[in-house]
Amino acid sequence: MNPAAGTVLAVLLSLVSAAGYALAAVAQSRLAAAFPSAPDGRGALRALLARGQWWWAVGLNAAGALAHVAALHYGPLTLVQPLGALTLVAALPLGAYYARRRVTRTEWRGALWTLGGLVGLVAMTGPTAPGEALSLRESLIVAASTAFLIAVLASGRLRGRERNGTAARGLGHATASGIASGVASALTQTLTAALALDLPGAEPTWWQTALLAVLISAFASGGLLLSQAAYRGGLAAPLAVVNLSNPAAAAIIGVALLGETFRAGAWGWLVAAGASLVAARGVVLLTKGGTAAEPVPAPVTAASGSAAVEPVAATAVSGSAPASPVGAALLSAVPAPPAAPETRPAPRTTGLGSPESDPVPVPVAG
């Protein structure tokens, strides 16, 4: 295949991958919206696994990953990775369509800011030369450190009040999900080198290779479950954080352990820092836009089974008409207190014990 045809095929596969990831994110967010107050624990996990929509999301994520791998086979990383950021742009209108609303201007601006920052990060964090895979000892250290960090992020300590607490916790889960997926990718590279007998250090044994496979499965499935929990706080902002934290985790591993560096030397570090700020600004806009786009619940009326309680005490005391029809209905529903029996003063008695009667008037003679 000539280079031009390979590039076109890589672009098409990247678009298919972005569409698959976007559809999976929308399916997960709809599933999270259907059970917003699902309890945590094994019961919630069993209920999730019993839903067919969950398995559709898993299949779409798998299809997106396969298309991404195929795109990397036909095209360079510098072309495929930025196109993967289109997942956010595709997910916004899809999510709005299923929610029967329009994408707000704030959401579009947030998506563009996040997309620009993500492209800048991906463009600067690529290795200048092919890097080596992690050794088995480094893989275990990375796995243990990542597990501790994920436990902190997913512990629910990032809480606010009401809706802000849900959004903050969702962003924490999204960050943990992206980190888990990034570490799974790094460990996959190590497993590939181990199977090819090209792993740094001594030749790995069968149980060490099996341990790497188990760790990869754990981080990949954990990242998927964490993203499901993140979508309880919305779609756009958690998806943006997942797409940002994934390459960021891979870049940290590459710079810290594999000897990779940012492109363009010191200028690359500055560009990466600026891109991070741009992406963070986009996430803030997406969080605000998603909150503003949520439908405001209609006030509950008496026809729907419950009524809003209005202050009627002052009306009852003053005797004036109630302030609204709802107040009138409430007042009419309250039974009137029983009438007090009429009391008459007891007749006075004389000293002989007979009741004293009033004097009878004597007619005056003419």
Side-chain angles (χ1 to χ4, degrees):
M1 182 179 295
N2 59 62
T7 301
V8 172
L9 185 57
V11 171
L12 292 177
L13 288 172
S14 298
L15 295 179
V16 170
S17 174
Y21 282 134
L23 289 171
V26 172
Q28 288 184 262
S29 66
R30 294 184 66 196
L31 185 59
F35 301 96
S37 59
D40 298 329
R42 296 181 180 178
L45 181 59
R46 286 195 298 267
L48 185 64
L49 296 179
R51 301 285 297 182
Q53 191 175 0
W54 162 254
W55 293 109
W56 273 108
V58 172
L60 289 169
N61 275 305
L66 291 176
H68 181 74
V69 172
L72 288 175
H73 178 72
Y74 291 103
L77 180 67
T78 54
L79 173 66
V80 174
Q81 284 294 102
L83 290 176
L86 295 176
T87 299
L88 178 62
V89 179
L92 271 180
L94 286 173
Y97 171 78
Y98 283 110
R100 297 182 179 180
R101 66 174 181 85
R102 293 182 178 180
V103 182
T104 64
R105 292 183 179 181
T106 304
E107 287 179 311
W108 279 124
R109 286 191 292 129
L112 292 178
W113 278 77
T114 306
L115 184 63
L118 183 57
V119 170
L121 280 175
V122 171
M124 289 292 106
T125 54
T128 56
E132 296 181 351
L134 296 173
S135 65
L136 181 62
R137 178 175 176 273
E138 291 171 340
S139 299
L140 295 177
I141 293 175
V142 168
S145 304
T146 304
F148 175 76
L149 180 59
I150 289 175
V152 173
L153 291 171
S155 61
R157 296 180 182 274
L158 299 176
R159 291 189 182 184
R161 292 184 179 179
E162 298 178 355
R163 185 177 299 171
N164 292 333
T166 303
R169 190 175 184 182
L171 294 182
H173 286 147
T175 305
S177 173
I179 292 174
S181 300
V183 171
S185 300
L187 294 179
T188 301
Q189 184 181 13
T190 302
L191 178 61
T192 304
L195 294 175
L197 301 180
D198 195 22
L199 195 65
E203 180 179 342
T205 60
W206 67 269
W207 67 266
Q208 292 173 335
T209 305
L211 178 61
L212 284 174
V214 170
L215 290 175
I216 292 170
S217 301
F219 280 114
S221 58
L224 192 60
L225 292 173
L226 285 168
S227 65
Q228 179 63 47
Y231 290 133
R232 293 181 185 177
L235 171 64
L239 181 60
V241 172
V242 169
N243 288 337
L244 287 171
S245 55
N246 189 329
I252 292 173
I253 293 175
V255 172
L257 298 176
L258 298 179
E260 298 176 359
T261 183
F262 289 102
R263 292 189 176 96
W267 288 104
W269 287 88
L270 294 177
V271 173
S276 301
L277 294 177
V278 170
R281 170 64 177 169
V283 172
V284 172
L285 289 175
L286 286 173
T287 304
K288 294 180 179 179
T291 302
E294 292 181 0
V296 179
V300 181
T301 60
S304 63
S306 62
V309 179
E310 295 187 3
V312 296
T315 305
V317 172
S318 61
S320 59
S324 67
V326 177
L330 286 176
L331 283 180
S332 61
V334 178
E342 183 179 358
T343 58
R344 294 181 179 181
R348 292 173 294 177
T349 59
T350 61
L352 299 177
S354 59
E356 181 182 1
S357 61
D358 294 334
V360 177
V362 177
V364 179

